[in-house]
PDB file of all heavy atoms in Angstrom:
ATOM      1  N   GLY A   1       6.335   9.660   8.459  1.00 79.00           N
ATOM      2  CA  GLY A   1       5.106  10.100   7.803  1.00 79.00           C
ATOM      3  C   GLY A   1       4.776   9.260   6.589  1.00 79.00           C
ATOM      4  O   GLY A   1       3.612   8.882   6.374  1.00 79.00           O
ATOM      5  N   LEU A   2       5.773   8.944   5.777  1.00 87.00           N
ATOM      6  CA  LEU A   2       5.550   8.109   4.591  1.00 87.00           C
ATOM      7  C   LEU A   2       5.093   6.705   4.977  1.00 87.00           C
ATOM      8  O   LEU A   2       4.218   6.117   4.327  1.00 87.00           O
ATOM      9  CB  LEU A   2       6.829   8.039   3.760  1.00 87.00           C
ATOM     10  CG  LEU A   2       7.232   9.322   3.018  1.00 87.00           C
ATOM     11  CD1 LEU A   2       8.629   9.183   2.427  1.00 87.00           C
ATOM     12  CD2 LEU A   2       6.221   9.635   1.914  1.00 87.00           C
ATOM     13  N   LEU A   3       5.692   6.161   6.045  1.00 80.00           N
ATOM     14  CA  LEU A   3       5.313   4.828   6.494  1.00 80.00           C
ATOM     15  C   LEU A   3       3.878   4.820   7.018  1.00 80.00           C
ATOM     16  O   LEU A   3       3.088   3.914   6.710  1.00 80.00           O
ATOM     17  CB  LEU A   3       6.273   4.343   7.580  1.00 80.00           C
ATOM     18  CG  LEU A   3       5.995   2.951   8.171  1.00 80.00           C
ATOM     19  CD1 LEU A   3       5.998   1.890   7.076  1.00 80.00           C
ATOM     20  CD2 LEU A   3       7.014   2.622   9.240  1.00 80.00           C
ATOM     21  N   ILE A   4       3.519   5.849   7.791  1.00 75.00           N
ATOM     22  CA  ILE A   4       2.153   5.947   8.303  1.00 75.00           C
ATOM     23  C   ILE A   4       1.163   6.073   7.147  1.00 75.00           C
ATOM     24  O   ILE A   4       0.101   5.435   7.143  1.00 75.00           O
ATOM     25  CB  ILE A   4       2.024   7.162   9.241  1.00 75.00           C
ATOM     26  CG1 ILE A   4       2.881   6.963  10.492  1.00 75.00           C
ATOM     27  CG2 ILE A   4       0.571   7.374   9.647  1.00 75.00           C
ATOM     28  CD1 ILE A   4       2.949   8.191  11.367  1.00 75.00           C
ATOM     29  N   ALA A   5       1.507   6.890   6.153  1.00 86.00           N
ATOM     30  CA  ALA A   5       0.623   7.077   5.001  1.00 86.00           C
ATOM     31  C   ALA A   5       0.440   5.771   4.234  1.00 86.00           C
ATOM     32  O   ALA A   5      -0.669   5.445   3.780  1.00 86.00           O
ATOM     33  CB  ALA A   5       1.184   8.154   4.084  1.00 86.00           C
ATOM     34  N   LEU A   6       1.521   5.019   4.073  1.00 87.00           N
ATOM     35  CA  LEU A   6       1.441   3.729   3.379  1.00 87.00           C
ATOM     36  C   LEU A   6       0.487   2.783   4.102  1.00 87.00           C
ATOM     37  O   LEU A   6      -0.341   2.107   3.476  1.00 87.00           O
ATOM     38  CB  LEU A   6       2.833   3.099   3.284  1.00 87.00           C
ATOM     39  CG  LEU A   6       2.906   1.685   2.697  1.00 87.00           C
ATOM     40  CD1 LEU A   6       2.365   1.668   1.273  1.00 87.00           C
ATOM     41  CD2 LEU A   6       4.331   1.145   2.751  1.00 87.00           C
ATOM     42  N   ILE A   7       0.587   2.757   5.426  1.00 80.00           N
ATOM     43  CA  ILE A   7      -0.297   1.887   6.209  1.00 80.00           C
ATOM     44  C   ILE A   7      -1.750   2.352   6.069  1.00 80.00           C
ATOM     45  O   ILE A   7      -2.671   1.542   5.946  1.00 80.00           O
ATOM     46  CB  ILE A   7       0.137   1.883   7.688  1.00 80.00           C
ATOM     47  CG1 ILE A   7       1.529   1.229   7.814  1.00 80.00           C
ATOM     48  CG2 ILE A   7      -0.875   1.140   8.553  1.00 80.00           C
ATOM     49  CD1 ILE A   7       2.168   1.409   9.169  1.00 80.00           C
ATOM     50  N   GLY A   8      -1.956   3.674   6.082  1.00 84.00           N
ATOM     51  CA  GLY A   8      -3.303   4.206   5.890  1.00 84.00           C
ATOM     52  C   GLY A   8      -3.872   3.829   4.529  1.00 84.00           C
ATOM     53  O   GLY A   8      -5.045   3.449   4.412  1.00 84.00           O
ATOM     54  N   LEU A   9      -3.049   3.913   3.498  1.00 92.00           N
ATOM     55  CA  LEU A   9      -3.487   3.536   2.155  1.00 92.00           C
ATOM     56  C   LEU A   9      -3.806   2.046   2.073  1.00 92.00           C
ATOM     57  O   LEU A   9      -4.718   1.632   1.347  1.00 92.00           O
ATOM     58  CB  LEU A   9      -2.405   3.911   1.137  1.00 92.00           C
ATOM     59  CG  LEU A   9      -2.208   5.414   0.909  1.00 92.00           C
ATOM     60  CD1 LEU A   9      -0.931   5.667   0.116  1.00 92.00           C
ATOM     61  CD2 LEU A   9      -3.413   6.014   0.185  1.00 92.00           C
ATOM     62  N   GLN A  10      -3.059   1.236   2.805  1.00 87.00           N
ATOM     63  CA  GLN A  10      -3.351  -0.196   2.862  1.00 87.00           C
ATOM     64  C   GLN A  10      -4.690  -0.451   3.547  1.00 87.00           C
ATOM     65  O   GLN A  10      -5.474  -1.291   3.106  1.00 87.00           O
ATOM     66  CB  GLN A  10      -2.243  -0.938   3.616  1.00 87.00           C
ATOM     67  CG  GLN A  10      -0.943  -1.097   2.843  1.00 87.00           C
ATOM     68  CD  GLN A  10       0.092  -1.848   3.651  1.00 87.00           C
ATOM     69  OE1 GLN A  10       0.273  -1.600   4.837  1.00 87.00           O
ATOM     70  NE2 GLN A  10       0.783  -2.776   3.015  1.00 87.00           N
ATOM     71  N   ASN A  11      -4.943   0.270   4.640  1.00 84.00           N
ATOM     72  CA  ASN A  11      -6.186   0.057   5.397  1.00 84.00           C
ATOM     73  C   ASN A  11      -7.431   0.448   4.602  1.00 84.00           C
ATOM     74  O   ASN A  11      -8.524  -0.043   4.871  1.00 84.00           O
ATOM     75  CB  ASN A  11      -6.140   0.844   6.707  1.00 84.00           C
ATOM     76  CG  ASN A  11      -5.191   0.222   7.714  1.00 84.00           C
ATOM     77  OD1 ASN A  11      -4.733  -0.902   7.546  1.00 84.00           O
ATOM     78  ND2 ASN A  11      -4.880   0.947   8.770  1.00 84.00           N
ATOM     79  N   THR A  12      -7.276   1.362   3.658  1.00 91.00           N
ATOM     80  CA  THR A  12      -8.415   1.731   2.810  1.00 91.00           C
ATOM     81  C   THR A  12      -8.567   0.772   1.628  1.00 91.00           C
ATOM     82  O   THR A  12      -9.618   0.753   0.978  1.00 91.00           O
ATOM     83  CB  THR A  12      -8.244   3.156   2.246  1.00 91.00           C
ATOM     84  OG1 THR A  12      -7.066   3.192   1.421  1.00 91.00           O
ATOM     85  CG2 THR A  12      -8.141   4.185   3.353  1.00 91.00           C
ATOM     86  N   GLY A  13      -7.521   0.025   1.332  1.00 92.00           N
ATOM     87  CA  GLY A  13      -7.542  -0.848   0.169  1.00 92.00           C
ATOM     88  C   GLY A  13      -7.114  -0.152  -1.104  1.00 92.00           C
ATOM     89  O   GLY A  13      -7.162  -0.725  -2.189  1.00 92.00           O
ATOM     90  N   ILE A  14      -6.657   1.101  -0.990  1.00 95.00           N
ATOM     91  CA  ILE A  14      -6.180   1.829  -2.173  1.00 95.00           C
ATOM     92  C   ILE A  14      -4.871   1.238  -2.667  1.00 95.00           C
ATOM     93  O   ILE A  14      -4.627   1.139  -3.876  1.00 95.00           O
ATOM     94  CB  ILE A  14      -6.022   3.330  -1.846  1.00 95.00           C
ATOM     95  CG1 ILE A  14      -7.394   3.948  -1.555  1.00 95.00           C
ATOM     96  CG2 ILE A  14      -5.335   4.072  -2.986  1.00 95.00           C
ATOM     97  CD1 ILE A  14      -7.340   5.393  -1.097  1.00 95.00           C
ATOM     98  N   VAL A  15      -4.030   0.826  -1.729  1.00 94.00           N
ATOM     99  CA  VAL A  15      -2.772   0.159  -2.069  1.00 94.00           C
ATOM    100  C   VAL A  15      -2.856  -1.278  -1.576  1.00 94.00           C
ATOM    101  O   VAL A  15      -3.212  -1.529  -0.420  1.00 94.00           O
ATOM    102  CB  VAL A  15      -1.564   0.873  -1.423  1.00 94.00           C
ATOM    103  CG1 VAL A  15      -0.295   0.051  -1.614  1.00 94.00           C
ATOM    104  CG2 VAL A  15      -1.392   2.258  -2.015  1.00 94.00           C
ATOM    105  N   VAL A  16      -2.552  -2.232  -2.458  1.00 93.00           N
ATOM    106  CA  VAL A  16      -2.597  -3.654  -2.104  1.00 93.00           C
ATOM    107  C   VAL A  16      -1.301  -4.325  -2.531  1.00 93.00           C
ATOM    108  O   VAL A  16      -0.519  -3.772  -3.310  1.00 93.00           O
ATOM    109  CB  VAL A  16      -3.792  -4.360  -2.786  1.00 93.00           C
ATOM    110  CG1 VAL A  16      -5.111  -3.778  -2.289  1.00 93.00           C
ATOM    111  CG2 VAL A  16      -3.698  -4.254  -4.310  1.00 93.00           C
ATOM    112  N   ALA A  17      -1.071  -5.507  -1.992  1.00 88.00           N
ATOM    113  CA  ALA A  17       0.132  -6.267  -2.345  1.00 88.00           C
ATOM    114  C   ALA A  17       0.016  -6.834  -3.748  1.00 88.00           C
ATOM    115  O   ALA A  17      -1.081  -7.141  -4.226  1.00 88.00           O
ATOM    116  CB  ALA A  17       0.343  -7.392  -1.337  1.00 88.00           C
ATOM    117  N   ASN A  18       1.170  -6.958  -4.403  1.00 90.00           N
ATOM    118  CA  ASN A  18       1.216  -7.536  -5.740  1.00 90.00           C
ATOM    119  C   ASN A  18       2.524  -8.311  -5.868  1.00 90.00           C
ATOM    120  O   ASN A  18       3.599  -7.741  -5.657  1.00 90.00           O
ATOM    121  CB  ASN A  18       1.138  -6.438  -6.802  1.00 90.00           C
ATOM    122  CG  ASN A  18       1.084  -6.997  -8.210  1.00 90.00           C
ATOM    123  OD1 ASN A  18       2.053  -7.559  -8.703  1.00 90.00           O
ATOM    124  ND2 ASN A  18      -0.061  -6.833  -8.869  1.00 90.00           N
ATOM    125  N   PRO A  19       2.477  -9.610  -6.202  1.00 88.00           N
ATOM    126  CA  PRO A  19       3.705 -10.417  -6.258  1.00 88.00           C
ATOM    127  C   PRO A  19       4.690  -9.978  -7.326  1.00 88.00           C
ATOM    128  O   PRO A  19       5.893 -10.196  -7.196  1.00 88.00           O
ATOM    129  CB  PRO A  19       3.181 -11.838  -6.530  1.00 88.00           C
ATOM    130  CG  PRO A  19       1.826 -11.627  -7.142  1.00 88.00           C
ATOM    131  CD  PRO A  19       1.279 -10.393  -6.508  1.00 88.00           C
ATOM    132  N   ALA A  20       4.197  -9.331  -8.374  1.00 89.00           N
ATOM    133  CA  ALA A  20       5.081  -8.917  -9.462  1.00 89.00           C
ATOM    134  C   ALA A  20       5.707  -7.557  -9.221  1.00 89.00           C
ATOM    135  O   ALA A  20       6.900  -7.355  -9.478  1.00 89.00           O
ATOM    136  CB  ALA A  20       4.299  -8.910 -10.781  1.00 89.00           C
ATOM    137  N   THR A  21       4.916  -6.633  -8.710  1.00 90.00           N
ATOM    138  CA  THR A  21       5.405  -5.256  -8.542  1.00 90.00           C
ATOM    139  C   THR A  21       5.487  -4.830  -7.076  1.00 90.00           C
ATOM    140  O   THR A  21       5.750  -3.672  -6.790  1.00 90.00           O
ATOM    141  CB  THR A  21       4.485  -4.276  -9.287  1.00 90.00           C
ATOM    142  OG1 THR A  21       3.157  -4.371  -8.736  1.00 90.00           O
ATOM    143  CG2 THR A  21       4.441  -4.597 -10.765  1.00 90.00           C
ATOM    144  N   MET A  22       5.246  -5.750  -6.160  1.00 88.00           N
ATOM    145  CA  MET A  22       5.232  -5.528  -4.709  1.00 88.00           C
ATOM    146  C   MET A  22       3.979  -4.793  -4.253  1.00 88.00           C
ATOM    147  O   MET A  22       3.322  -5.186  -3.312  1.00 88.00           O
ATOM    148  CB  MET A  22       6.496  -4.801  -4.238  1.00 88.00           C
ATOM    149  CG  MET A  22       7.754  -5.649  -4.369  1.00 88.00           C
ATOM    150  SD  MET A  22       9.198  -4.878  -3.611  1.00 88.00           S
ATOM    151  CE  MET A  22       9.553  -3.605  -4.810  1.00 88.00           C
ATOM    152  N   VAL A  23       3.645  -3.687  -4.916  1.00 90.00           N
ATOM    153  CA  VAL A  23       2.414  -2.972  -4.572  1.00 90.00           C
ATOM    154  C   VAL A  23       1.638  -2.652  -5.847  1.00 90.00           C
ATOM    155  O   VAL A  23       2.209  -2.589  -6.930  1.00 90.00           O
ATOM    156  CB  VAL A  23       2.701  -1.655  -3.802  1.00 90.00           C
ATOM    157  CG1 VAL A  23       3.273  -1.947  -2.426  1.00 90.00           C
ATOM    158  CG2 VAL A  23       3.624  -0.752  -4.602  1.00 90.00           C
ATOM    159  N   ALA A  24       0.319  -2.433  -5.675  1.00 94.00           N
ATOM    160  CA  ALA A  24      -0.538  -2.096  -6.813  1.00 94.00           C
ATOM    161  C   ALA A  24      -1.752  -1.342  -6.285  1.00 94.00           C
ATOM    162  O   ALA A  24      -1.964  -1.236  -5.075  1.00 94.00           O
ATOM    163  CB  ALA A  24      -0.967  -3.358  -7.563  1.00 94.00           C
ATOM    164  N   VAL A  25      -2.556  -0.812  -7.209  1.00 95.00           N
ATOM    165  CA  VAL A  25      -3.784  -0.111  -6.838  1.00 95.00           C
ATOM    166  C   VAL A  25      -4.893  -1.132  -6.632  1.00 95.00           C
ATOM    167  O   VAL A  25      -5.057  -2.064  -7.421  1.00 95.00           O
ATOM    168  CB  VAL A  25      -4.196   0.896  -7.938  1.00 95.00           C
ATOM    169  CG1 VAL A  25      -5.529   1.550  -7.586  1.00 95.00           C
ATOM    170  CG2 VAL A  25      -3.122   1.953  -8.106  1.00 95.00           C
TER     171      VAL A  25
END
């Protein structure tokens, strides 16, 4: 469930990659 939610958040653009912190808003 957490993995699916993470992918969903990525698809909306709410969560994005960040080289310093791995993820960001």
Side-chain angles (χ1 to χ4, degrees):
L2 289 171
L3 179 58
I4 295 172
L6 175 60
I7 294 169
L9 291 168
Q10 286 180 316
N11 287 348
T12 62
I14 294 175
V15 172
V16 297
N18 184 291
T21 61
M22 292 188 286
V23 293
V25 176

